[in-house]
Amino acid sequence: MTGSNIRKRIVEYKSSKIFRILTIDGLGRDSKFVGLVLFTAHYFPSCSADDHPLSKRLCFFQTTILQTTYIPRYLSFKIVREELGDNWRDHFAEFDERPFAAASIGQVHEGVLPDGRRVAVKIQYPGVAEGIDSDINNLMSTLKVANVLPETLFVDSVIEVAKRELAWECDYERERQCGERFAALVAPYSQYYVPSAIPHLSTKRMLTTELIEGTAVDKCVHLNQETRNAICAGLLELTLRELFQFGFMQTDPNWANFFYNESTQQIALVDFGACREYSKNFVDLYIEVIHGAAIGDRQKVLQFSQEIGFLTGHEAKVMKEAHVDAVMILGEAFRHDRAFCFSEQATTRRIQELVPTLLQHRMCPPPEEVYSLHRKMSGVYLLCARLGGQVNMHPLFFDIYRRYKFGGAW
C-alpha cells in the first residue's frame, strides 16, 4: 500500500465513523441500525440505507477494503521499532510477518512469546490519530454543501461525538486499560472471556494480547438452535449488565468483536477501544424509559423520555406519539415471559415507518450518550436476528430492574 493510499484509507476510516453515526447501516450488508433510527432519526432522507450511495460506499469499505488490505511490512516494522525499540524481536520467539486480520485502524499479527504463549499483536496504521478534527470538519463541510444532511440531524452533536470516539479508539493504552477493567467486571460470569493484555508489549500505537480461539459469532449460524440461543442470551445479558449494572460499556457493535468457543462454551470479547462510562443519573432515567416500554406504560415512556432529554415536551402530539411508539416496539423483547424470536419480528419495518415523523418534528438532539448506546444495542439485536435467536429476556430485565439502586454513584 503506497503512502497516498494509506492516507486515503485513514480519511475513509474517519469518514466511516461519521457514517456509522449518521446512517442506519454500518454493521455489514444485512444490517440496519434499528436502535439508532429509533431514538435519533439519524438517516439520509427519502432513501433506505441499502440504497443510499454513501451507505453502499461505507458497506464496501468495511466488508472489503478493511478485510483485505495491509500496510507494507517495512512500515509496520518501523512502527514496532518506534514503540519497542530496535531489539523488538527479542520479545518474541516467533512473529508472523504477514497479518492475519485487518482492523479499522490497524492490522493484527500472530506471535509467540518466549514462554510459549500465543499472542495477537495489533499495530496501528501511521497517521490515524493525527488530524482528527480537521478531517472530520472537512468531511462535514462537504456533506453540508452536498445538502444531504437534514437540519434536524443536529450535526454539531454528531461531530463532537465522532471526534471523541475517534480519539479513544486511537489510544491503544486506553484500550488496554479498558480491557483490564472489563475483565474484572465480567469475572463473576463464567460465560465470558477477556484475553489478557501483555503490558510491556503494549503502547499507545501497539496492543499485544493473548490470542483467543473461537468463531466470530456471526459465523455461528450453522450451530444448533440451543447453542445459538445461548450465544444470543449471553450477548443480551452482557448488554444489560454493561448499562444497568456496570455503568461501563464496550459500545462497538462490530460482530467480529465477539467469538464463540465451542470447547469452553464461552463468548470471548475483544477490542475495547470504544468503551465508555455512563453517568448514574443518565442510567437512572434510561432504565425507567425501558421499564415503561416493558410494562406497556406509554405515559411513563413519555415522562422519562422528556426528563432524560429525548424530547423537550413542546413537540407536536404526532412526534410524541411516534417516539413512544418506537420505544414500545423496542420494549417488546422484555414484555412477555416467553421466548422472543428476533428473526421473526418486523421491528425494522415498523421503525422505518416512523422515521419520517421522527425526523420532521424533532426539536432537540438526543442525549450524547445515546449515539454509542443505541449503536451497541442495535448491533446486538441484529446479531440475534441473524442467528435466529429465541431468548426469554423478561426474567433477566425485571430482575435487574428490581435490584437496581437509584441515585448515588456506581
Side-chain angles (χ1 to χ4, degrees):
M1 190 188 301
T2 65
S4 61
N5 284 337
I6 292 172
R7 175 59 184 165
K8 179 180 179 182
R9 176 173 179 152
I10 290 168
V11 172
E12 289 211 19
Y13 167 68
K14 294 173 181 177
S15 300
S16 77
K17 169 63 71 174
I18 292 287
F19 292 150
R20 286 203 301 271
I21 295 175
L22 292 179
T23 72
I24 56 176
D25 185 283
L27 295 173
R29 299 183 188 278
D30 302 327
S31 305
K32 291 179 174 63
F33 256 4
V34 177
L36 191 56
V37 174
L38 188 144
F39 289 106
T40 65
H42 288 163
Y43 72 110
F44 293 99
S46 304
C47 235
S48 73
D50 294 332
D51 292 336
H52 200 285
L54 291 175
S55 291
K56 286 185 175 181
R57 178 63 185 128
L58 172 59
C59 184
F60 173 77
F61 174 66
Q62 291 182 317
T63 59
T64 304
I65 298 178
L66 288 182
Q67 296 176 8
T68 59
T69 57
Y70 309 102
I71 59 175
R73 183 174 59 180
Y74 79 88
L75 194 52
S76 61
F77 286 178
K78 176 177 182 292
I79 296 170
V80 176
R81 283 196 302 271
E82 291 173 352
E83 299 302 304
L84 300 182
D86 292 335
N87 298 323
W88 65 271
R89 284 190 179 273
D90 295 343
H91 295 289
F92 300 92
E94 299 177 21
F95 187 89
D96 192 341
E97 297 182 356
R98 179 176 176 80
F100 69 85
S104 52
I105 59 173
Q107 61 191 35
V108 189
H109 297 253
E110 183 175 348
V112 179
L113 300 184
D115 62 9
R117 282 180 293 171
R118 297 171 63 206
V119 294
V121 183
K122 184 163 66 172
I123 302 170
Q124 188 174 118
Y125 297 130
V128 171
E130 302 163 6
I132 290 176
D133 287 1
S134 59
D135 284 342
I136 290 180
N137 288 338
N138 289 339
L139 170 65
M140 298 311 295
S141 295
T142 300
L143 293 176
K144 287 180 179 178
V145 170
N147 196 32
V148 297
L149 303 179
E151 293 182 3
T152 48
L153 190 59
F154 297 99
V155 172
D156 289 344
S157 297
V158 175
I159 291 174
E160 291 307 309
V161 170
K163 288 178 179 178
R164 182 172 61 249
E165 289 187 359
L166 276 169
W168 286 347
E169 293 178 22
C170 291
D171 185 350
Y172 284 178
E173 177 61 25
R174 178 186 182 276
E175 180 177 342
R176 179 184 67 81
Q177 294 171 354
C178 288
E180 292 172 348
R181 178 177 176 182
F182 210 89
L185 290 169
V186 301
Y189 308 99
S190 60
Q191 67 266 46
Y192 308 115
Y193 183 79
V194 176
S196 300
I198 314 299
H200 71 283
L201 298 179
S202 300
T203 67
K204 288 183 73 72
R205 295 195 300 163
M206 181 174 170
L207 178 62
T208 304
T209 65
E210 172 189 4
L211 186 67
I212 63 168
E213 296 183 0
T215 304
V217 289
D218 64 311
K219 307 300 183 185
C220 293
V221 293
H222 65 285
L223 299 179
N224 61 56
Q225 186 67 55
E226 182 180 0
T227 301
R228 286 182 283 123
N229 288 348
I231 294 172
C232 293
L235 292 173
L236 289 161
E237 177 181 342
L238 179 62
T239 302
L240 293 180
R241 293 195 187 280
E242 285 176 292
L243 181 60
F244 299 128
Q245 184 175 325
F246 306 155
F248 184 73
M249 177 178 280
Q250 190 287 92
T251 66
D252 186 348
N254 189 336
W255 296 341
N257 292 341
F258 309 96
F259 289 79
Y260 181 68
N261 187 320
E262 288 191 71
S263 298
T264 64
Q265 298 184 341
Q266 289 178 307
I267 299 173
L269 312 171
V270 300
D271 196 343
F272 297 92
C275 282
R276 64 157 295 162
E277 295 178 331
Y278 291 95
S279 71
K280 191 63 167 57
N281 181 62
F282 170 81
V283 179
D284 283 354
L285 296 172
Y286 191 86
I287 196 172
E288 293 287 27
V289 174
I290 301 302
H291 181 255
I295 64 175
D297 188 337
R298 297 179 64 87
Q299 185 56 41
K300 182 172 184 178
V301 170
L302 180 60
Q303 174 190 338
F304 283 96
S305 291
Q306 292 175 181
E307 290 190 28
I308 202 172
F310 284 125
L311 303 169
T312 66
H314 301 292
E315 286 83 1
K317 181 179 179 181
V318 66
M319 172 62 186
K320 295 177 181 178
E321 289 292 324
H323 171 82
V324 174
D325 286 345
V327 179
M328 297 297 285
I329 292 172
L330 246 199
E332 291 174 351
F334 309 112
R335 191 166 303 151
H336 303 292
D337 191 6
R338 61 173 181 261
F340 182 85
C341 185
F342 286 85
S343 62
E344 294 181 359
Q345 307 305 313
T347 303
T348 300
R349 176 186 57 77
R350 293 162 65 195
I351 294 296
Q352 287 179 331
E353 291 173 354
L354 297 171
V355 165
T357 301
L358 293 172
L359 181 65
Q360 181 179 354
H361 296 282
R362 180 166 295 283
M363 297 182 67
C364 64
E368 63 89 13
E369 295 93 341
V370 162
Y371 296 100
S372 57
L373 172 58
H374 289 165
R375 187 169 66 238
K376 171 63 176 286
M377 292 175 64
S378 301
V380 173
Y381 264 62
L382 292 164
L383 176 59
C384 291
R386 179 177 176 84
L387 295 180
Q390 300 173 18
V391 183
N392 185 353
M393 294 302 297
H394 179 94
L396 177 62
F397 173 75
F398 281 93
D399 180 64
I400 288 177
Y401 183 77
R402 282 191 297 269
R403 295 171 182 269
Y404 187 82
K405 297 185 183 301
F406 291 89
W410 290 109

